[in-house]
Amino acid sequence: MAAVQRAQEQGREHPRLPLSNWTELDIWEYIYLENIPIVPLYFAAERPVVERDGALIMVDDDRLPLKPGETPQMRRVRFRTLGCYPLTGAIDSDADSLPAIIREMLLARTSERQGRVIDRDGGASMEQKKQEGYF
């Protein structure tokens, strides 16, 4: 949360999208401090997934046609971000509580958008647009 306060003090907070200056850790700390309920998909649990193009895609209904040779495997995963299905991949994780998620974020060296399949589209990725100041 200190990063948010510094951005405000230095006048770097985006006037229309102040949350765009928050880190993933800032958001999880705020959720924890304010005791905000969250969707269970953010917590680690055993879930059926297939690995497709480097992403762990959950297969819990018939919306995702399996490719030849794909077999769902039960893995302990959670989602760092939620988006359109099946464009959002899970991560291997044991973080099944808010304090565990915060600990995981303190050690994370990848973007929360690592699971977004759409972000693998180079110049059209949302991560690239964010870095360029698009939003």
Side-chain angles (χ1 to χ4, degrees):
M1 298 292 282
V4 174
Q5 186 174 0
R6 280 194 305 276
Q8 290 171 338
E9 290 169 358
Q10 295 171 5
R12 291 186 293 123
E13 184 169 82
H14 193 287
R16 291 177 299 277
L17 300 169
L19 286 179
S20 70
N21 296 321
W22 287 34
T23 66
E24 183 180 10
L25 180 59
D26 291 332
I27 292 168
W28 283 116
E29 288 175 333
Y30 183 80
I31 289 168
Y32 178 75
L33 291 171
E34 297 298 325
N35 198 28
I36 298 170
I38 63 168
V39 176
L41 289 171
Y42 286 113
F43 295 116
E46 291 289 324
R47 295 186 170 95
V49 297
V50 293
E51 188 166 343
R52 185 176 286 180
D53 300 322
L56 298 175
I57 306 297
M58 190 164 67
V59 183
D60 62 342
D61 59 29
D62 60 0
R63 292 179 292 165
L64 182 71
L66 295 175
K67 294 181 177 181
E70 282 185 331
T71 304
Q73 303 293 318
M74 294 302 290
R75 288 175 66 169
R76 189 161 177 80
V77 299
R78 73 178 195 85
F79 291 83
R80 287 177 70 185
T81 182
L82 296 175
C84 296
Y85 180 86
L87 299 176
T88 303
I91 60 165
D92 288 304
S93 174
D94 288 318
D96 58 2
S97 67
L98 282 171
I101 290 172
I102 291 169
R103 276 192 304 276
E104 188 176 86
M105 291 301 89
L106 288 168
L107 300 172
R109 297 292 176 253
T110 56
S111 166
E112 76 277 5
R113 295 192 63 89
Q114 78 181 33
R116 293 287 181 102
V117 176
I118 194 168
D119 278 355
R120 299 201 175 122
D121 184 17
S125 78
M126 294 303 284
E127 188 68 20
Q128 179 73 27
K129 291 185 184 324
K130 183 176 179 181
Q131 290 171 1
E132 293 170 354
Y134 182 74
F135 58 92

